[in-house]
Amino acid sequence: MVDVIFAENIDFKSADVFVLVADETGKSFISDKLKMLFGAEISKGISDECKELAYGKIKSFDVIVDGKMRGIIIAGAGSRNKFSRASFEKLGGYIFSKIKSSDAEICVLSNCESANHESMMAYLASGMMLKNWTFDKYKSEKTPEKLKKIACKTGYIQFNKEVFAGLLKIVDGVHTVREMVTEPANVMDPDKLLEEAKALKKLGIKITVLDKKDMEKQGMNALLGVAKGSDKPAYVIAMEYKSDETKPSVALVGKGLTFDSGGLCLKPAKGMGEMKGDMTGAAVVIGALKTLALQQAKVNVVGVIGVVENMISGSAQKPGDIVVAMSGKTIEVDNTDAEGRLVLADVLWYTKQKYAPEIMIDFATLTGAIQVALGHEFAGLFSNSDKLCDDLQKSATTVGEKLWRLPLHQSYEDDIKSDIADIKNVGSGRGAGSITAALFLKHFVDPDAKWAHIDIAATEWDSKERALSQKGATGFGVRLMNDFICNVCSKNGGRK
Ligand code: BES
Ligand code: MN
Ligand code: ZN
């Protein structure tokens, strides 16, 4: 655990590393107290280093201050009129990477706060905490955490404390997602995922579980078809957090494939292991609800996840099979590896029937094609509502989890026409795989309710370290949903 404190008077002499944030003007900003500690030569050196330090650039060097070797890190924060939560959280991530290898106590200093930017220190610390996550539970030898304390010098102590306390609850939700996604599929199986959802009960979230029998009663044959090849149970889990029913009702729907082998349309061995992360959509829904409940946010949310394993066996679903979805539509299963949309078809329909939300947003690692289109930077956004897209984009900008809208256009519809059923689960053409997948989902949502589908197949995981995450699971989506639900849709009356 790293202790983060905010104070006006910091004991500079205890610091092993000084972090100084510089805006683009490059003017010297070292306080008089610090100048005394550093001495004229180092202070001048720092001022020189600050010149032309672009946003995100980090300079570091070791100096002897007060008889002890210490690190100085200078981080470029860019232009003052572009200071934002997203830019400071990201900067916090960069800084954290830099200090990870150094020792114990850290001092974070800044002159970057001003009347318009009071909570910059909280954002910086939040970014550092977001980045501060590793998964070593299966390593016999753990790397001990050296960093013990981050002391932030600020003139707005109480304000930053409060903002940071809120942000820490979001960090908790993000880390929960990373944890769940990184667990291997032999651990994070449907029962374990159910356990994770049930753990939300203690936060005041109501849990309803549909097992196989319940799903049969509901006619969820599209979902159950996917589950046929697995020895493990399948579930639909609903999580209700309704602390203010006057707020717009939002449903978050998640794809929870605890493993996707592809089914009989088996995936190639190389990279198949990554499919333990095919439950990320469900994890994001759990993480977002956890975050909201921890903050005791006054919102009206239900999360619904479809939890299944896509495997092969003598009873597995076969290409060419036809299933009758809960909505009554018939689906030709042309490819058993396009299973996520089959699961979501029933979960989306069920959510609409049971909860009639005003806004429905699904998170799914739905298509490999989204990586081809957008890489790891942007998640794919599909929606039947311009207003919902605008609102989601506001949150995307605030938190720095980027979305790019792609066409949910009827002209691709022919691609998923089936000769012998209402629709089929893959496109005939070679292109636009993410779009045809989204269009497939559109068949199972209420045309009058606002709906967005967010394809996170490429943003949920990266083989490289990112600003706010180590390589591996990112937890993309929790911060986005937290902002959207707490700030955008609850405050501006997302109904319009
Ligand atoms: N879970 C995969 C999508 C995926 C791919 C997620 C790579 C993360 C990384 C999904 O179920 C799938 O297999 N989609 C197929 C669809 C195809 C059969 C039309 C795909 O993308 O190849
Ligand atoms: Mn698949
Ligand atoms: Zn899948």
Side-chain angles (χ1 to χ4, degrees):
M1 264 300 281
V2 182
D3 191 18
V4 179
I5 63 153
F6 298 91
E8 174 93 65
N9 294 310
I10 304 271
D11 174 17
F12 292 139
K13 292 193 174 178
S14 68
D16 301 308
V17 178
F18 297 94
V19 180
L20 307 167
V21 178
D23 71 12
E24 66 173 6
T25 64
K27 272 187 209 147
S28 172
F29 52 79
I30 313 165
S31 70
D32 291 342
K33 245 185 174 175
L34 212 61
K35 238 177 214 166
M36 269 166 59
L37 184 66
F38 285 161
E41 203 179 323
I42 294 173
S43 299
K44 183 177 178 307
I46 291 171
S47 300
D48 290 345
E49 291 290 344
C50 288
K51 286 181 190 134
E52 292 171 28
L53 196 62
Y55 173 78
K57 286 272 171 306
I58 307 275
K59 290 193 175 173
S60 68
F61 40 89
D62 290 334
V63 286
I64 291 175
V65 177
D66 201 33
K68 192 178 151 204
M69 183 73 106
R70 308 171 201 242
I72 293 183
I73 291 174
I74 308 171
S79 135
R80 226 163 245 269
N81 57 25
K82 286 196 192 135
F83 281 10
S84 68
R85 169 176 162 193
S87 76
F88 266 67
E89 280 188 325
K90 230 171 143 179
L91 198 60
Y94 296 142
I95 292 167
F96 188 82
S97 286
K98 201 77 202 171
I99 54 183
K100 226 190 148 205
S101 52
S102 66
D103 288 333
E105 210 158 325
I106 309 298
C107 227
V108 180
L109 314 174
S110 175
N111 74 328
C112 284
E113 48 191 16
S114 58
N116 300 326
H117 302 115
E118 304 96 335
S119 44
M120 292 301 132
M121 296 308 281
Y123 295 150
L124 210 57
S126 155
M128 293 171 84
M129 291 302 96
L130 277 165
K131 184 91 186 202
N132 183 23
W133 180 84
T134 44
F135 190 88
D136 62 2
K137 65 189 279 193
Y138 297 110
K139 291 256 189 204
S140 304
E141 260 174 57
K142 324 257 185 229
T143 327
E145 197 172 49
K146 289 183 192 154
L147 183 62
K148 296 277 184 298
K149 187 170 170 187
I150 299 173
C152 308
K153 180 174 162 52
T154 172
Y156 305 88
I157 301 167
Q158 200 49 34
F159 188 69
N160 273 285
K161 268 189 190 163
E162 277 163 31
V163 173
F164 182 70
L167 291 167
L168 215 46
K169 289 166 185 163
I170 304 174
V171 172
D172 189 334
V174 174
H175 288 180
T176 300
V177 175
R178 291 182 191 165
E179 197 84 25
M180 289 175 68
V181 171
T182 312
E183 282 289 0
N186 61 332
V187 175
M188 189 51 64
D189 64 3
D191 278 317
K192 177 76 172 143
L193 219 162
L194 175 61
E195 214 178 278
E196 295 284 336
K198 282 185 173 166
L200 297 177
K201 273 190 196 168
K202 60 176 185 294
L203 299 175
I205 291 176
K206 183 182 161 198
I207 310 288
T208 314
V209 185
L210 275 67
D211 64 11
K212 190 175 174 200
K213 269 203 183 122
D214 302 318
M215 290 188 273
E216 276 167 356
K217 258 189 231 150
Q218 297 282 347
M220 295 182 166
N221 302 308
L223 186 156
L224 288 168
V226 176
K228 270 168 67 181
S230 169
D231 292 337
K232 309 228 172 189
Y235 301 109
V236 166
I237 307 165
M239 298 158 275
E240 289 170 77
Y241 179 69
K242 303 192 167 204
S243 53
D244 183 350
E245 303 211 20
T246 65
K247 297 285 168 61
S249 59
V250 181
L252 300 181
V253 170
K255 168 177 173 180
L257 266 290
T258 59
F259 191 71
D260 177 14
S261 71
L264 284 176
C265 306
L266 194 63
K267 285 183 181 297
K270 192 174 181 303
M272 196 199 276
E274 284 173 21
M275 286 303 120
K276 68 177 181 177
D278 212 18
M279 34 57 74
T280 305
V284 168
V285 173
I286 290 175
L289 278 155
K290 182 178 189 188
T291 291
L292 292 167
L294 283 173
Q295 294 168 98
Q296 296 178 309
K298 293 279 164 256
V299 294
N300 185 2
V301 185
V302 59
V304 190
I305 56 179
V307 182
V308 196
E309 211 187 35
N310 189 21
M311 299 294 281
I312 41 177
S313 81
S315 49
Q317 161 161 272
K318 297 168 283 295
D321 283 2
I322 294 178
V323 291
V324 187
M326 183 186 167
S327 79
K329 273 202 180 145
T330 55
I331 305 167
E332 182 186 358
V333 180
D334 206 12
N335 190 319
T336 62
D337 197 13
E339 84 301 332
R341 63 198 77 179
L342 296 170
V343 170
L344 287 176
D346 281 342
V347 179
L348 288 167
W349 187 263
Y350 172 77
T351 303
K352 163 192 133 114
Q353 296 294 310
K354 171 92 185 174
Y355 300 100
E358 289 158 79
I359 297 169
M360 182 151 74
I361 302 170
D362 75 72
F363 282 83
T365 47
L366 203 64
T367 65
I370 204 70
Q371 185 179 342
V372 179
L374 300 172
H376 294 287
E377 290 296 327
F378 285 77
L381 169 65
F382 301 84
S383 179
N384 58 5
S385 159
D386 293 346
K387 164 83 170 100
L388 179 55
C389 284
D390 286 350
D391 283 352
L392 285 167
Q393 290 292 12
K394 275 182 209 153
S395 294
T397 305
T398 302
V399 306
E401 291 187 335
K402 304 193 285 297
L403 301 172
W404 198 267
R405 190 179 185 181
L406 291 166
L408 187 70
H409 200 273
Q410 281 312 110
S411 49
Y412 296 89
E413 186 69 39
D414 277 353
D415 243 25
I416 51 169
K417 284 223 165 93
S418 160
D419 291 336
I420 55 167
D422 296 334
I423 45 172
K424 59 179 180 173
N425 75 334
V426 286
S428 328
R430 247 181 291 145
S434 304
I435 298 174
T436 48
L439 269 178
F440 179 94
L441 298 181
K442 188 164 172 263
H443 283 264
F444 303 92
V445 300
D446 181 353
D448 298 325
K450 289 191 201 140
W451 162 66
H453 156 58
I454 301 181
D455 193 333
I456 52 169
T459 43
E460 61 102 353
W461 185 270
D462 204 330
S463 52
K464 291 199 300 281
E465 177 181 343
R466 300 189 64 80
L468 294 173
S469 56
Q470 310 295 339
K471 72 176 182 187
T474 60
F476 182 104
V478 171
R479 294 160 67 237
L480 180 74
M481 279 307 100
N482 184 73
D483 187 71
F484 174 75
I485 293 167
C486 291
N487 299 327
V488 179
C489 107
S490 290
K491 289 187 182 146
N492 75 357
R495 293 188 168 89
K496 273 176 275 158

